[in-house]
Amino acid sequence: MSAHGHIIITGVSSGIGLAIARAALAKGYVVQGVGRRPPEGLEDHTNWTFTPCDLTDLPAVDKLVFHGGANTILVNNAGTLGPVAQSENVTAEEISACMLLNVTAPMRLTARFLKEVPGEKQVYFTGSGAAQHTISGWSAYCASKAAIHMYAEVVALEYPDVAIHVFKPGKVDTPMQAQIRNTKSEDFPSVPHFIEEYESGNLVDSNTVAERLLYVIEAQDKPSVVFPISQIKLIS
Ligand SMILES: NC(=O)c1ccc[n+]([C@@H]2O[C@H](COP(=O)([O-])OP(=O)(O)OC[C@H]3O[C@@H](n4cnc5c(N)ncnc54)[C@H](OP(=O)(O)O)[C@@H]3O)[C@@H](O)[C@H]2O)c1
């Protein structure tokens, strides 16, 4: 048993999830990564396990075995940008796939986690500013993140003794941002802005997000249910 406890993170093959996994291991947590692909470089770590699971496969989500004990933290991080297109060009299949990964899977995992994992626990979601700002071409993504923000608000109301939070990471330098920069401006008119942000060095480092999230996880005084990670100032 680690002094820090257990942390379960979805979507650990790259980006923010991988950074959280690395930072948590470095701090002494026992980490269970969940996703379709394992990350490279963690396989020899004694406190690391990887549970393969395509989170769009709901029967598999319901069979997932949580590794944890007293003081377990769930970080619902896996996500997809979904279809990038003006709304009339988005198909039912694309909407469903986006909602399944960004909304249904984290809701179902959280429900099971609250019911099945005993003792002290915390739940985090990787949210987005896109939940609160309208972005042309991202109808499914914006709607999915708005849904998970509101879900977290409701669950926080229902379980006042459990820390339940959504962190908005800002524009983070991950494969998802590379995907954004590669979309067509007729589908996503803001693409020049995202390219400019990248070329100006304005993207946040995923390690900074991870460091601040772990600070919040360990803090007695928590921020509001939905909070921007940029608001977190590390006090050593
Ligand atoms: N980057 C940003 O600027 C930004 C801003 C706001 C919010 N976010 C959110 O941050 C989270 C992480 O994204 P990221 O930026 O770090 O991008 P990323 O590197 O593309 O990470 C997405 C993760 O989700 C996993 N994933 C995708 N489909 C999956 C599935 N069906 N089952 C299980 N895992 C799946 C991916 O793994 P595999 O593809 O290997 O399975 C990957 O590990 C997402 O929820 C995203 O919406 C990102």
Side-chain angles (χ1 to χ4, degrees):
M1 234 301 274
S2 149
H4 278 96
H6 294 76
I7 182 161
I8 302 162
I9 310 163
T10 67
V12 284
S13 62
S14 60
I16 296 168
L18 176 56
I20 298 168
R22 284 194 181 126
L25 286 168
K27 273 184 162 275
Y29 287 85
V30 176
V31 180
Q32 178 185 12
V34 177
R36 292 183 302 191
R37 288 182 300 136
E40 288 173 16
L42 299 185
E43 52 279 358
D44 294 333
H45 205 295
T46 47
N47 281 352
W48 165 254
T49 56
F50 179 74
T51 306
C53 183
D54 181 336
L55 293 164
T56 63
D57 177 353
L58 292 181
V61 169
D62 272 353
K63 283 194 207 110
L64 190 87
V65 176
F66 297 121
H67 301 178
N71 191 11
T72 304
I73 298 131
L74 172 63
V75 182
N76 288 293
N77 167 75
T80 177
L81 185 58
V84 177
Q86 297 298 291
S87 301
E88 67 181 31
N89 297 321
V90 177
T91 66
E93 288 74 19
E94 289 169 328
I95 296 167
S96 296
C98 180
M99 293 296 169
L100 206 45
L101 183 61
N102 291 2
V103 184
T104 314
M107 284 178 65
R108 187 60 202 143
L109 265 190
T110 300
R112 287 195 49 218
F113 181 79
L114 289 168
K115 196 165 195 147
E116 297 169 26
V117 174
E120 200 180 322
K121 45 191 167 276
Q122 304 185 39
V123 182
Y124 293 84
F125 300 86
T126 309
S128 173
Q132 293 156 326
H133 299 288
T134 49
I135 301 174
S136 175
W138 287 11
S139 55
Y141 185 73
C142 290
S144 72
K145 290 297 182 180
I148 209 67
H149 281 218
M150 181 52 89
Y151 172 73
E153 297 266 18
V154 173
V155 179
L157 180 70
E158 292 174 349
Y159 296 83
D161 295 336
V162 181
I164 295 177
H165 295 276
V166 180
F167 64 96
K168 298 191 290 177
K171 292 189 188 76
V172 189
D173 194 4
T174 69
M176 187 178 281
Q177 280 289 331
Q179 183 193 349
I180 292 167
R181 291 192 297 278
N182 281 326
T183 53
K184 296 191 205 120
S185 56
E186 62 260 36
D187 294 328
F188 177 50
S190 300
V191 71
H193 168 70
F194 278 77
I195 292 170
E196 165 72 20
E197 287 283 89
Y198 172 70
E199 290 179 348
S200 303
N202 289 340
L203 298 192
V204 180
D205 189 307
S206 54
N207 295 317
T208 303
V209 175
E211 188 182 20
R212 291 180 181 182
L213 178 65
L214 285 165
Y215 181 84
V216 172
I217 285 171
E218 292 176 2
Q220 289 297 324
D221 290 330
K222 304 287 191 201
S224 54
V225 176
V226 177
F227 68 93
I229 207 86
S230 60
Q231 165 194 308
I232 305 305
K233 305 287 176 234
L234 307 187
I235 302 163
S236 50

